[in-house]
Amino acid sequence: MAINNKRRLLLAGAGAGGLAITAAAVIAQTQERVIKVVAKKFDFTPGEIRLKKNQPVTLEFTTLDVVMGFALPEFGLRADILPGTTARIRFTPDKVGQFPFHCDIFCGSGHESMTGTVIVS
Ligand SMILES: [Cu+2]
């Protein structure tokens, strides 16, 4: 029962996020860079995401197996990545450097090695 409730909350959150992002996309009406990121135990592909400072980008996440999380703490960003859905984060990097990201939902032993780097130039 507890697991069912938790899953319902996760799905509700994902739905609300999807609406907000659709609204943002309608307002923007520009052809933005979209980078697809695929999560699977215990890896993100690509593990290195290269961005340009002040250039808006949408990261699109899918998972090949279980529920994953994406966290990019330096920019205060995170997303739940649910099987069968696409999670999106739209943002504009405002600083140059190398910033680590990681999976923040425990997905099995090996989870701690699910990391990568955003490189902004
Ligand atoms: Cu994980």
Side-chain angles (χ1 to χ4, degrees), residues 2-38:
I3 289 169
N4 277 341
N5 283 336
K6 197 171 182 184
R7 179 166 293 170
R8 206 168 297 131
L9 281 176
L10 269 177
L11 291 173
L19 282 180
I21 282 152
T22 303
V26 168
I27 290 164
Q29 291 284 339
T30 53
Q31 71 281 55
E32 263 177 35
R33 246 185 111 195
V34 175
I35 297 176
K36 294 179 189 300
V37 181
V38 178

Tab-separated table of all heavy atoms in Angstrom, residues 2-38:
chain	number	residue	atom	x	y	z
A	2	ALA	N	1.862	1.269	0.869
A	2	ALA	CA	2.729	2.444	0.944
A	2	ALA	C	3.418	2.671	-0.394
A	2	ALA	O	3.553	3.807	-0.849
A	2	ALA	CB	3.751	2.257	2.049
A	3	ILE	N	3.811	1.596	-1.045
A	3	ILE	CA	4.495	1.741	-2.336
A	3	ILE	C	3.551	2.320	-3.369
A	3	ILE	O	3.898	3.203	-4.134
A	3	ILE	CB	5.052	0.370	-2.783
A	3	ILE	CG1	6.227	-0.006	-1.879
A	3	ILE	CG2	5.470	0.399	-4.240
A	3	ILE	CD1	6.699	-1.426	-2.029
A	4	ASN	N	2.297	1.845	-3.377
A	4	ASN	CA	1.320	2.381	-4.337
A	4	ASN	C	1.119	3.880	-4.169
A	4	ASN	O	1.064	4.624	-5.125
A	4	ASN	CB	-0.018	1.661	-4.174
A	4	ASN	CG	-0.001	0.342	-4.937
A	4	ASN	OD1	0.826	0.150	-5.826
A	4	ASN	ND2	-0.889	-0.555	-4.579
A	5	ASN	N	0.997	4.319	-2.910
A	5	ASN	CA	0.799	5.743	-2.668
A	5	ASN	C	1.989	6.559	-3.139
A	5	ASN	O	1.831	7.624	-3.719
A	5	ASN	CB	0.537	5.998	-1.176
A	5	ASN	CG	-0.882	5.614	-0.804
A	5	ASN	OD1	-1.756	5.601	-1.668
A	5	ASN	ND2	-1.099	5.290	0.453
A	6	LYS	N	3.161	6.029	-2.879
A	6	LYS	CA	4.371	6.746	-3.279
A	6	LYS	C	4.413	6.895	-4.801
A	6	LYS	O	4.704	7.945	-5.328
A	6	LYS	CB	5.595	5.981	-2.778
A	6	LYS	CG	6.863	6.778	-2.758
A	6	LYS	CD	7.936	5.983	-2.049
A	6	LYS	CE	9.229	6.770	-1.966
A	6	LYS	NZ	10.275	5.968	-1.360
A	7	ARG	N	4.080	5.803	-5.497
A	7	ARG	CA	4.094	5.837	-6.955
A	7	ARG	C	3.067	6.840	-7.479
A	7	ARG	O	3.323	7.589	-8.396
A	7	ARG	CB	3.803	4.428	-7.481
A	7	ARG	CG	3.775	4.375	-8.997
A	7	ARG	CD	3.836	2.960	-9.479
A	7	ARG	NE	5.117	2.366	-9.181
A	7	ARG	CZ	5.383	1.072	-9.320
A	7	ARG	NH1	4.454	0.267	-9.744
A	7	ARG	NH2	6.556	0.588	-9.044
A	8	ARG	N	1.900	6.889	-6.852
A	8	ARG	CA	0.866	7.833	-7.282
A	8	ARG	C	1.377	9.271	-7.147
A	8	ARG	O	1.186	10.096	-8.012
A	8	ARG	CB	-0.398	7.616	-6.450
A	8	ARG	CG	-1.647	8.039	-7.162
A	8	ARG	CD	-2.896	7.560	-6.442
A	8	ARG	NE	-3.011	6.128	-6.383
A	8	ARG	CZ	-3.276	5.429	-5.261
A	8	ARG	NH1	-3.466	6.052	-4.125
A	8	ARG	NH2	-3.367	4.133	-5.290
A	9	LEU	N	2.059	9.571	-6.042
A	9	LEU	CA	2.602	10.908	-5.829
A	9	LEU	C	3.632	11.243	-6.901
A	9	LEU	O	3.637	12.335	-7.444
A	9	LEU	CB	3.253	11.001	-4.442
A	9	LEU	CG	2.278	11.182	-3.287
A	9	LEU	CD1	3.033	11.161	-1.968
A	9	LEU	CD2	1.499	12.477	-3.447
A	10	LEU	N	4.497	10.280	-7.198
A	10	LEU	CA	5.513	10.490	-8.229
A	10	LEU	C	4.861	10.844	-9.559
A	10	LEU	O	5.248	11.782	-10.221
A	10	LEU	CB	6.335	9.213	-8.405
A	10	LEU	CG	7.599	9.071	-7.560
A	10	LEU	CD1	8.219	7.720	-7.842
A	10	LEU	CD2	8.566	10.192	-7.856
A	11	LEU	N	3.824	10.074	-9.931
A	11	LEU	CA	3.166	10.283	-11.216
A	11	LEU	C	2.453	11.628	-11.235
A	11	LEU	O	2.493	12.353	-12.223
A	11	LEU	CB	2.178	9.145	-11.490
A	11	LEU	CG	2.841	7.781	-11.754
A	11	LEU	CD1	1.798	6.684	-11.837
A	11	LEU	CD2	3.659	7.821	-13.031
A	12	ALA	N	1.826	11.998	-10.134
A	12	ALA	CA	1.144	13.288	-10.063
A	12	ALA	C	2.149	14.415	-10.250
A	12	ALA	O	1.905	15.374	-10.969
A	12	ALA	CB	0.418	13.431	-8.733
A	13	GLY	N	3.292	14.308	-9.625
A	13	GLY	CA	4.332	15.328	-9.756
A	13	GLY	C	4.816	15.441	-11.191
A	13	GLY	O	4.996	16.531	-11.710
A	14	ALA	N	4.996	14.303	-11.836
A	14	ALA	CA	5.473	14.310	-13.215
A	14	ALA	C	4.447	14.981	-14.128
A	14	ALA	O	4.797	15.738	-15.021
A	14	ALA	CB	5.744	12.885	-13.671
A	15	GLY	N	3.162	14.719	-13.886
A	15	GLY	CA	2.107	15.334	-14.685
A	15	GLY	C	2.117	16.839	-14.560
A	15	GLY	O	2.053	17.567	-15.547
A	16	ALA	N	2.236	17.343	-13.356
A	16	ALA	CA	2.249	18.784	-13.125
A	16	ALA	C	3.458	19.414	-13.805
A	16	ALA	O	3.357	20.468	-14.432
A	16	ALA	CB	2.266	19.064	-11.631
A	17	GLY	N	4.609	18.769	-13.706
A	17	GLY	CA	5.812	19.287	-14.349
A	17	GLY	C	5.640	19.355	-15.857
A	17	GLY	O	6.053	20.315	-16.491
A	18	GLY	N	5.003	18.353	-16.422
A	18	GLY	CA	4.777	18.325	-17.855
A	18	GLY	C	3.952	19.510	-18.323
A	18	GLY	O	4.257	20.140	-19.329
A	19	LEU	N	2.927	19.866	-17.572
A	19	LEU	CA	2.079	21.018	-17.931
A	19	LEU	C	2.886	22.303	-17.925
A	19	LEU	O	2.791	23.108	-18.832
A	19	LEU	CB	0.917	21.139	-16.938
A	19	LEU	CG	-0.237	20.165	-17.146
A	19	LEU	CD1	-1.305	20.414	-16.096
A	19	LEU	CD2	-0.815	20.313	-18.534
A	20	ALA	N	3.693	22.500	-16.889
A	20	ALA	CA	4.482	23.727	-16.776
A	20	ALA	C	5.439	23.842	-17.954
A	20	ALA	O	5.611	24.917	-18.517
A	20	ALA	CB	5.250	23.729	-15.461
A	21	ILE	N	6.033	22.732	-18.339
A	21	ILE	CA	7.009	22.779	-19.427
A	21	ILE	C	6.322	23.027	-20.759
A	21	ILE	O	6.814	23.760	-21.587
A	21	ILE	CB	7.855	21.485	-19.417
A	21	ILE	CG1	8.896	21.627	-18.314
A	21	ILE	CG2	8.543	21.258	-20.736
A	21	ILE	CD1	9.350	20.360	-17.707
A	22	THR	N	5.125	22.458	-20.963
A	22	THR	CA	4.385	22.726	-22.191
A	22	THR	C	4.089	24.216	-22.298
A	22	THR	O	4.270	24.822	-23.347
A	22	THR	CB	3.070	21.921	-22.196
A	22	THR	OG1	3.400	20.553	-22.046
A	22	THR	CG2	2.322	22.123	-23.485
A	23	ALA	N	3.671	24.828	-21.219
A	23	ALA	CA	3.360	26.263	-21.217
A	23	ALA	C	4.609	27.057	-21.567
A	23	ALA	O	4.551	27.984	-22.383
A	23	ALA	CB	2.828	26.668	-19.857
A	24	ALA	N	5.731	26.710	-20.989
A	24	ALA	CA	6.979	27.424	-21.264
A	24	ALA	C	7.344	27.294	-22.735
A	24	ALA	O	7.784	28.255	-23.357
A	24	ALA	CB	8.092	26.882	-20.383
A	25	ALA	N	7.148	26.114	-23.307
A	25	ALA	CA	7.512	25.890	-24.703
A	25	ALA	C	6.635	26.735	-25.625
A	25	ALA	O	7.112	27.289	-26.611
A	25	ALA	CB	7.368	24.412	-25.040
A	26	VAL	N	5.351	26.867	-25.298
A	26	VAL	CA	4.442	27.668	-26.122
A	26	VAL	C	4.866	29.133	-26.084
A	26	VAL	O	4.885	29.819	-27.094
A	26	VAL	CB	2.986	27.510	-25.633
A	26	VAL	CG1	2.087	28.548	-26.276
A	26	VAL	CG2	2.496	26.100	-25.926
A	27	ILE	N	5.259	29.617	-24.915
A	27	ILE	CA	5.677	31.014	-24.786
A	27	ILE	C	6.983	31.245	-25.553
A	27	ILE	O	7.135	32.231	-26.251
A	27	ILE	CB	5.842	31.377	-23.290
A	27	ILE	CG1	4.463	31.408	-22.628
A	27	ILE	CG2	6.528	32.732	-23.136
A	27	ILE	CD1	4.505	31.374	-21.124
A	28	ALA	N	7.898	30.306	-25.437
A	28	ALA	CA	9.210	30.496	-26.048
A	28	ALA	C	9.115	30.524	-27.575
A	28	ALA	O	9.639	31.420	-28.218
A	28	ALA	CB	10.154	29.398	-25.592
A	29	GLN	N	8.402	29.562	-28.178
A	29	GLN	CA	8.201	29.528	-29.627
A	29	GLN	C	9.506	29.683	-30.404
A	29	GLN	O	9.535	30.330	-31.443
A	29	GLN	CB	7.217	30.620	-30.050
A	29	GLN	CG	5.797	30.375	-29.599
A	29	GLN	CD	5.070	29.324	-30.430
A	29	GLN	OE1	5.460	29.058	-31.550
A	29	GLN	NE2	4.053	28.712	-29.876
A	30	THR	N	10.575	29.154	-29.897
A	30	THR	CA	11.835	29.237	-30.626
A	30	THR	C	12.357	27.823	-30.808
A	30	THR	O	11.987	26.927	-30.063
A	30	THR	CB	12.877	30.041	-29.838
A	30	THR	OG1	12.995	29.492	-28.535
A	30	THR	CG2	12.492	31.495	-29.743
A	31	GLN	N	13.190	27.652	-31.823
A	31	GLN	CA	13.787	26.337	-31.981
A	31	GLN	C	15.025	26.278	-31.098
A	31	GLN	O	16.032	26.893	-31.383
A	31	GLN	CB	14.060	25.973	-33.446
A	31	GLN	CG	15.171	26.700	-34.161
A	31	GLN	CD	14.752	28.082	-34.623
A	31	GLN	OE1	14.304	28.903	-33.844
A	31	GLN	NE2	14.932	28.350	-35.903
A	32	GLU	N	14.842	25.569	-29.996
A	32	GLU	CA	15.902	25.481	-29.009
A	32	GLU	C	16.654	24.192	-29.160
A	32	GLU	O	16.151	23.236	-29.724
A	32	GLU	CB	15.280	25.492	-27.627
A	32	GLU	CG	15.287	26.832	-26.999
A	32	GLU	CD	14.578	26.756	-25.678
A	32	GLU	OE1	14.685	25.722	-24.984
A	32	GLU	OE2	13.905	27.733	-25.361
A	33	ARG	N	17.819	24.192	-28.593
A	33	ARG	CA	18.576	22.951	-28.545
A	33	ARG	C	17.896	21.967	-27.618
A	33	ARG	O	17.496	22.330	-26.510
A	33	ARG	CB	19.961	23.251	-27.989
A	33	ARG	CG	21.065	23.023	-29.002
A	33	ARG	CD	22.386	23.220	-28.348
A	33	ARG	NE	23.070	21.936	-28.257
A	33	ARG	CZ	24.118	21.738	-27.488
A	33	ARG	NH1	24.577	22.698	-26.720
A	33	ARG	NH2	24.708	20.569	-27.469
A	34	VAL	N	17.755	20.746	-28.076
A	34	VAL	CA	17.211	19.671	-27.252
A	34	VAL	C	18.262	18.566	-27.188
A	34	VAL	O	18.785	18.145	-28.221
A	34	VAL	CB	15.897	19.109	-27.842
A	34	VAL	CG1	15.417	17.920	-27.033
A	34	VAL	CG2	14.832	20.198	-27.901
A	35	ILE	N	18.591	18.163	-25.985
A	35	ILE	CA	19.565	17.082	-25.817
A	35	ILE	C	18.873	15.916	-25.133
A	35	ILE	O	18.292	16.080	-24.053
A	35	ILE	CB	20.771	17.548	-24.981
A	35	ILE	CG1	21.492	18.671	-25.728
A	35	ILE	CG2	21.734	16.392	-24.703
A	35	ILE	CD1	22.643	19.278	-24.956
A	36	LYS	N	18.895	14.771	-25.792
A	36	LYS	CA	18.265	13.579	-25.228
A	36	LYS	C	19.268	12.846	-24.339
A	36	LYS	O	20.402	12.614	-24.744
A	36	LYS	CB	17.784	12.652	-26.347
A	36	LYS	CG	16.665	13.260	-27.179
A	36	LYS	CD	16.247	12.312	-28.290
A	36	LYS	CE	15.299	12.954	-29.285
A	36	LYS	NZ	14.036	13.431	-28.721
A	37	VAL	N	18.809	12.509	-23.142
A	37	VAL	CA	19.661	11.795	-22.188
A	37	VAL	C	18.944	10.504	-21.791
A	37	VAL	O	17.781	10.545	-21.372
A	37	VAL	CB	19.932	12.654	-20.931
A	37	VAL	CG1	20.832	11.900	-19.960
A	37	VAL	CG2	20.561	13.990	-21.320
A	38	VAL	N	19.613	9.396	-21.959
A	38	VAL	CA	19.016	8.100	-21.659
A	38	VAL	C	19.651	7.544	-20.384
A	38	VAL	O	20.874	7.447	-20.278
A	38	VAL	CB	19.224	7.117	-22.830
A	38	VAL	CG1	18.644	5.747	-22.490
A	38	VAL	CG2	18.588	7.669	-24.107
